[in-house]
Amino acid sequence: MKKTVVAAISTLLCASSITAVAGETQIGRYTSVSNTASFAQQNLLATEIKVNFPEQVTTLQQAFEQLLATSGYRLSQENLDVDIDVLYEQPLPDVHRWIGPMTLREALQTLAGNTWELVTNPVDRTVTFKLDESYRYLVSKRRPVVTGSELKIKTDDPAWSCGDRIRIDSVEPIYFGPNSFSLNYKDEAKLNKLVDKAKSMNLGVVIKSYADPSGPEAMHMALSQARGSAVGEYLEKSGANVLAIKPLGATYPNPDAPVSRQRVAEVLLVQSLCEEQVEIPVWTIVANDTLKETLFKWITQSQKWRNLVYKVKNEHGKDVKVTFPQSSKISGEFTDVLAKLIHELRKRPGVVRLKSELYQGDNTVVIEGLIREASE
């Protein structure tokens, strides 16, 4: 009986031991290793990183590319946010030159900031960013303004007939198969979203349609016309204001793009600026005023910026007054005028460092600098 009990206990212990080491390989009496992939190996963006960006990395786009260089992911070249260049062209802040330890996903989002959403495609292993729509108005004036004749807009509607005041809000591609001009359900879903946006923002639609260079040349224009018409008819039926359809044949602007990307109809949502009164603000500099006093006045004049943080010191950490010897006036948008002013002040003797940063979240202007002697 005792032998039976001992045998049963031994069997249970062995089973327990086998269960305990399932998924592991014994490499020593007291050491084993896992046979399964780690979480980071299965989720590449969960890889923990610690990076010190070199001096030659100066923009956020370069920083993103370095973070992704050996990760298995890359920056997407498709379905880009219309304002993505605003993010990519931003200078890399000094505070972000050392980043980590944190996951790759967290690092990408940290660099982009909370106004941009990280968008990943695990199939193509690409990443991109989408701007929070509540901040879209802040970059709207960066969008290109073109003439109505460039877009071939022909209409008697006074809201669209001012000629040279059309702003391109966004560009969305609809791709087609070889020799095809049919829309599938995914295309229609995408167009439905564009219609909703156009209606809510009172935007018009211009369509540029293309064919790839393969096949008989005589077919290129006809095929691009058919694609533009298919998209235009669907949008009009859905209630969009289609202003123009431009069939452009096999003249896609980037001939080196894959042919599958050249079989496309680009849907441009456009904003009329005919009724917009364009008043260029004028900013005044008073003789003998300091930079700090001047910026306080400008912020008071501004309808957007509310706060000023001024940190211009000498090598001993004491405040330095930067004064203006004579009065002047500068015309332009606040951000452009400020950048121009800081650029000119950097040329003064003794100015080692002087820069401005704008924080959209709390509408704050930050001026930081090091000056070895007072600049008069």
Side-chain angles (χ1 to χ4, degrees):
M1 181 65 180
K2 285 184 179 181
K3 289 183 179 180
T4 302
V5 173
V6 170
I9 293 174
S10 298
T11 301
L12 288 172
L13 289 173
C14 289
S16 176
S17 177
I18 292 171
T19 302
V21 298
E24 295 184 347
T25 298
Q26 198 79 23
I27 61 173
R29 185 174 183 181
Y30 302 109
T31 307
S32 61
V33 293
S34 175
N35 294 332
T36 59
S38 68
F39 180 76
Q41 288 173 326
Q42 298 178 66
N43 302 271
L44 298 178
L45 294 177
T47 304
E48 186 174 283
I49 63 166
K50 186 176 182 181
V51 177
N52 175 20
F53 293 108
E55 290 184 0
Q56 58 266 35
V57 175
T58 59
T59 67
L60 287 187
Q61 181 172 2
Q62 292 171 336
F64 291 138
E65 289 171 346
Q66 178 161 329
L67 285 178
L68 296 170
T70 59
S71 70
Y73 272 75
R74 67 187 189 281
L75 288 178
S76 176
Q77 300 300 315
E78 299 178 0
N79 300 319
L80 302 180
D81 189 283
V82 67
D83 294 310
I84 193 66
D85 287 343
V86 176
L87 174 64
Y88 283 171
E89 293 170 2
Q90 292 296 317
L92 177 65
D94 288 343
V95 73
H96 285 158
R97 288 209 165 269
W98 286 87
I99 193 165
M102 63 177 66
T103 66
L104 177 56
R105 179 185 293 275
E106 290 170 337
L108 292 167
Q109 188 64 70
T110 298
L111 291 182
N114 58 11
T115 58
W116 293 87
E117 176 192 359
L118 176 64
V119 179
T120 64
N121 182 334
V123 177
D124 292 336
R125 290 187 176 178
T126 59
V127 303
T128 187
F129 301 88
K130 293 291 184 183
L131 181 62
D132 185 326
E133 290 300 326
S134 64
Y135 292 91
R136 185 76 64 184
Y137 76 98
L138 294 173
V139 294
S140 64
K141 292 185 178 180
R142 290 175 174 262
R143 299 171 189 155
V145 175
V146 297
T147 66
S149 59
E150 285 181 78
L151 297 178
K152 295 187 177 180
I153 294 176
K154 296 180 180 179
T155 177
D156 295 329
D157 186 343
W160 295 95
S161 59
C162 62
D164 62 348
R165 303 297 299 162
I166 306 295
R167 177 179 291 146
I168 298 175
D169 179 86
S170 61
V171 181
E172 293 291 342
I174 301 294
Y175 296 107
F176 296 86
N179 301 318
S180 170
F181 52 88
S182 300
L183 300 173
N184 59 37
Y185 74 96
K186 290 183 179 180
D187 299 328
E188 292 177 352
K190 189 174 186 178
L191 292 174
N192 288 338
K193 291 181 179 179
L194 294 178
V195 171
D196 291 342
K197 180 179 180 179
K199 287 180 177 179
S200 65
M201 297 178 63
N202 196 27
L203 302 175
V205 176
V206 174
I207 300 165
K208 295 182 179 181
S209 50
Y210 300 90
D212 68 65
S214 61
E217 186 174 346
M219 291 293 295
H220 296 163
M221 185 58 71
L223 193 53
S224 66
Q225 174 70 64
R227 287 167 176 165
S229 297
V231 173
E233 289 171 7
Y234 185 89
L235 290 171
E236 284 187 327
K237 181 180 67 176
S238 303
N241 182 12
V242 178
L243 300 168
I245 299 175
K246 297 175 62 178
L248 297 168
T251 62
Y252 189 69
N254 180 11
D256 296 326
V259 292
S260 61
R261 302 293 93 177
Q262 299 184 45
R263 300 189 291 263
V264 63
E266 294 180 338
V267 181
L268 285 67
L269 296 185
V270 296
Q271 176 187 9
S272 172
L273 305 181
C274 293
E275 299 177 2
E276 183 178 285
Q277 297 298 318
V278 180
E279 182 177 345
I280 300 176
V282 178
W283 311 89
T284 301
I285 296 174
V286 178
N288 299 318
D289 270 3
T290 66
L291 174 60
K292 186 175 183 179
E293 291 169 337
T294 299
L295 291 181
F296 268 126
K297 292 177 182 178
W298 286 11
I299 287 174
T300 301
Q301 177 184 339
S302 168
Q303 296 181 354
K304 172 184 173 182
W305 303 102
R306 294 290 179 267
N307 309 301
L308 174 66
V309 176
Y310 187 84
K311 300 184 291 185
V312 179
K313 310 285 185 180
N314 62 19
E315 61 268 35
H316 305 295
K318 295 183 179 180
D319 292 341
V320 174
K321 289 185 178 180
V322 180
T323 59
F324 298 97
Q326 58 187 20
S327 298
S328 62
K329 293 185 178 182
I330 312 176
S331 300
E333 297 298 329
F334 178 86
T335 53
D336 297 331
V337 171
L338 178 60
K340 186 185 299 183
L341 179 64
I342 296 298
H343 177 73
E344 290 300 318
L345 290 174
R346 286 190 189 125
K347 299 177 183 178
R348 291 190 177 187
V351 177
V352 178
R353 182 180 67 254
L354 189 64
K355 65 179 181 179
S356 63
E357 291 186 278
L358 304 175
Y359 293 90
Q360 311 281 4
D362 57 359
N363 302 324
T364 296
V365 178
V366 177
I367 306 296
E368 187 270 336
L370 173 62
I371 299 179
R372 295 197 184 282
E373 58 184 25
S375 297
E376 299 294 342

